[in-house]
């Protein structure tokens, strides 16, 4: 049995991920915080950690954690308010470095992106040069993963963090995936992981041993996806212009709200801001989703697909209120959000991306 990916299926993809980006920027701009546990986010008991430095992570502090819990884990934790304008400023510098090497750059967020560098003899050397240039221009470190597709590159960028990189050549892919814990596979969250463990699927080898029929039966459409991934198969190209699947906005309240009347006021504010975001992106949506997080952190979503596209504050608010009153609240509310999906983004808005085929893929060494 072959233990490598066919040469005809090879591309050279790099996933670059900045190391604890927001927290590292704060430590860069505040030298007195360097080497100390730091969290970016709200300091109040109801605040949420947006990012944590590596020093804070040693205490168990993680992003999306309640600030009070973070402080319990690390009493001397430093809190810094988010400065997104500053993060965007540095992100532009990083992106300009990427574009010096290739125009095939797919940003995922301010601090990470995929790059297709198939035209270069060595993707490993390119990744090293990019990381060196990022540090030279920003004094911040980045990690990178290098392989034949986005899925593998993303796994690998986390392998030698911080300030490291890992390359997986075609011959190494199958053995690597077979030894991988399934929880390391992107897209397999805690719930799916536990289900796989219950079915006796702990490693990539275990997953690879299952038929596509078995996986589809137990995991639905995702079953085929897992079937391909564990064989190193993923043909999604690097897309320089990514079209958003949804646009939304949410707010966490300083104190819990227990009445729909008060939530209506918040929905009006959110609807106005969502309208601005839709106008900025020149899109409208058909499916409206209301997100409610209760005081006990139970999350509930309510959605409705309309017969027409909406983008104005008035229509968004009207449908959001309908969803709000559709069911009784289960508890007092700490967060509420609204989003629009099923957007009317046209393919003409996207940059034309040629799907890589077997005949035009390169076979140069990594």
């Amino acid at each position: 049995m072959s233990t490598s990916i066919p040469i005809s299926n090879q591309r050279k993809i790099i996933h670059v991920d900045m190391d604890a980006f927001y927290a590292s920027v704060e430590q860069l701009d505040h030298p007195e915080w360097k080497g100390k546990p730091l969290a970016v986010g709200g300091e109040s008991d109801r605040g949420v950690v947006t990012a944590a430095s590596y020093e804070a992570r040693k205490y168990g502090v993680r992003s999306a954690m309640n600030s009070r819990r973070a402080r319990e884990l690390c009493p001397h934790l430093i809190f810094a308010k988010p400065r997104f304008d500053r993060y965007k400023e540095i992100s532009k510098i990083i992106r300009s470095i990427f574009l010096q090497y290739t125009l095939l750059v797919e940003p995922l967020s301010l601090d990470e992106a995929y790059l297709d560098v198939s035209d270069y003899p060595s993707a490993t050397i390119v990744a090293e040069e990019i990381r060196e240039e990022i540090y030279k221009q920003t004094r911040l470190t980045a990690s990178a993963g290098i392989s034949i597709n986005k899925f593998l590159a993303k796994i690998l960028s986390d392998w030698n963090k911080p300030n490291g990189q890992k390359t997986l050549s075609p011959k190494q892919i199958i053995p690597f995936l077979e030894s991988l814990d399934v929880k390391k596979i992107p897209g397999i969250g805690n719930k799916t992981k536990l289900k796989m463990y219950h079915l006796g699927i702990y490693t990539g080898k275990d997953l690879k041993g299952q038929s596509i029929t078995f996986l589809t039966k137990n995991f639905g459409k995702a079953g085929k996806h897992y079937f391909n991934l564990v064989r190193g198969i993923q043909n999604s190209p690097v897309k320089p212009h990514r079209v958003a699947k949804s646009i939304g906005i949410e707010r966490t309240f300083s104190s819990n709200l227990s009445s729909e009347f008060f939530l209506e006021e918040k929905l009006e504010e959110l609807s106005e801001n969502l309208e601005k975001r839709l106008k900025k992106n020149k899109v409208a949506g058909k499916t409206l989703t209301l997100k409610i997080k209760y005081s006990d952190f139970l999350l509930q979503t309510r959605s409705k697909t309309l017969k027409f596209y909406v983008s104005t504050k008035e229509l968004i608010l009207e449908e959001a209120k309908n969803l709000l009153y559709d069911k009784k609240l289960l508890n007092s509310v700490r967060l509420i959000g609204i989003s629009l999906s099923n957007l009317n983004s046209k393919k003409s808005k996207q940059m034309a991306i040629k799907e890589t085929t077997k005949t035009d893929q390169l076979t140069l060494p990594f």
Side-chain angles (χ1 to χ4, degrees):
M1 182 181 290
S2 174
T3 59
S4 65
I5 302 294
I7 286 178
S8 61
N9 287 335
Q10 293 175 24
R11 283 179 292 164
K12 295 179 182 177
I13 308 298
I14 301 173
H15 179 252
V16 179
D17 191 13
M18 299 300 294
D19 298 322
F21 183 53
Y22 295 174
S24 295
V25 171
E26 296 303 331
Q27 290 177 321
L28 175 71
D29 291 350
H30 302 85
E32 68 274 18
W33 293 344
K34 189 173 183 180
K36 297 180 180 179
L38 180 141
V40 177
E43 189 172 0
S44 70
D45 286 350
R46 302 184 60 80
V48 176
V49 174
T50 303
S53 68
Y54 285 103
E55 296 85 359
R57 295 180 190 183
K58 291 177 181 178
Y59 291 86
V61 178
R62 296 287 185 270
S63 62
M65 177 180 285
N66 176 266
S67 296
R68 181 173 60 182
R69 175 57 179 159
R71 198 181 296 105
E72 289 173 352
L73 292 172
C74 183
H76 55 295
L77 184 66
I78 299 168
F79 280 89
K81 291 183 179 179
R83 298 182 297 150
F84 291 104
D85 287 343
R86 176 63 170 147
Y87 309 148
K88 289 177 182 176
E89 177 187 351
I90 295 180
S91 181
K92 287 180 180 178
I93 296 172
I94 296 166
R95 200 160 297 175
S96 69
I97 294 171
F98 295 157
L99 293 172
Q100 292 174 20
Y101 289 85
T102 176
L103 294 178
L104 294 176
V105 178
E106 180 180 341
L108 301 177
S109 61
L110 293 178
D111 62 344
E112 62 175 318
Y114 291 117
L115 291 76
D116 188 325
V117 294
S118 297
D119 289 334
Y120 286 85
S122 172
T124 299
I125 293 175
V126 171
E128 289 174 349
E129 290 182 0
I130 288 173
R131 291 175 49 242
E132 288 175 4
E133 191 61 27
I134 288 174
Y135 185 76
K136 179 181 177 181
Q137 293 194 33
T138 69
R139 311 310 292 176
L140 297 171
T141 63
S143 296
I146 307 100
S147 197
I148 65 169
N149 58 40
K150 295 194 290 188
F151 152 66
L152 289 165
K154 188 169 180 66
I155 291 178
L156 297 170
S157 66
D158 199 45
W159 213 257
N160 289 320
K161 269 186 169 291
N163 196 25
Q165 66 180 60
K166 183 174 177 62
T167 299
L168 205 63
S169 68
K171 290 182 180 180
Q172 299 171 313
I173 291 172
I174 297 302
F176 173 81
L177 288 175
E178 287 184 346
S179 65
L180 197 68
D181 191 311
V182 291
K183 68 182 180 182
K184 294 278 188 180
I185 298 176
I188 294 183
N190 190 57
K191 186 177 179 180
T192 303
K193 175 198 75 174
L194 293 176
K195 185 174 182 179
M196 286 190 175
Y197 285 179
H198 181 72
L199 292 169
I201 302 172
Y202 298 95
T203 66
K205 187 174 183 179
D206 297 331
L207 185 59
K208 189 180 175 187
Q210 308 304 320
S211 68
I212 193 167
T213 302
F214 175 86
L215 292 175
T216 302
K217 178 183 177 182
N218 285 280
F219 302 101
K221 292 181 180 179
K224 183 179 179 181
H225 180 62
Y226 301 146
F227 182 88
N228 287 328
L229 287 187
V230 79
R231 288 164 173 77
I233 302 170
Q234 190 210 37
N235 297 317
S236 175
V238 171
K239 303 173 183 177
H241 283 236
R242 300 174 76 240
V243 178
K245 294 182 179 180
S246 66
I247 295 179
I249 188 167
E250 60 186 44
R251 288 287 181 270
T252 300
F253 310 131
S254 56
S255 58
N256 297 336
L257 300 180
S258 55
S259 167
E260 287 88 351
F261 176 76
F262 295 116
L263 290 173
E264 268 193 50
E265 293 181 4
K266 302 300 181 182
L267 283 178
E268 185 169 357
E269 176 189 336
L270 292 177
S271 297
E272 183 175 347
N273 287 321
L274 182 55
E275 178 187 47
K276 291 177 181 177
R277 292 190 180 186
L278 292 166
K279 282 184 177 179
K280 182 179 179 181
N281 288 276
K282 298 179 181 178
V283 293
K286 273 188 175 181
T287 302
L288 183 73
T289 299
L290 176 69
K291 176 181 177 181
I292 301 172
K293 183 178 283 187
Y294 293 102
S295 55
D296 58 0
F297 288 87
L298 175 68
L299 182 64
Q300 185 183 65
T301 58
R302 307 173 185 179
S303 298
K304 181 180 180 181
T305 299
L306 309 171
K307 295 181 180 179
F308 48 85
Y309 290 101
V310 297
S311 62
T312 64
K313 168 190 171 182
E314 291 74 19
L315 290 175
I316 293 170
L317 179 58
E318 179 184 347
E319 295 302 333
K321 285 164 63 176
N322 288 339
L323 289 172
L324 176 64
Y325 286 100
D326 185 52
K327 297 177 183 177
K328 283 187 176 182
L329 296 177
L330 302 177
N331 206 332
S332 57
V333 177
R334 64 175 279 115
L335 175 149
I336 196 164
I338 48 176
S339 63
L340 273 171
S341 55
N342 197 3
L343 305 177
N344 64 344
S345 307
K346 295 181 179 178
K347 290 184 179 180
S348 60
K349 291 183 180 178
Q350 302 178 43
M351 180 181 288
I353 303 297
K354 182 181 178 184
E355 292 285 349
T356 312
T357 63
K358 290 183 179 181
T359 56
D360 63 19
Q361 287 173 335
L362 303 177
T363 60
L364 296 170
F366 272 77

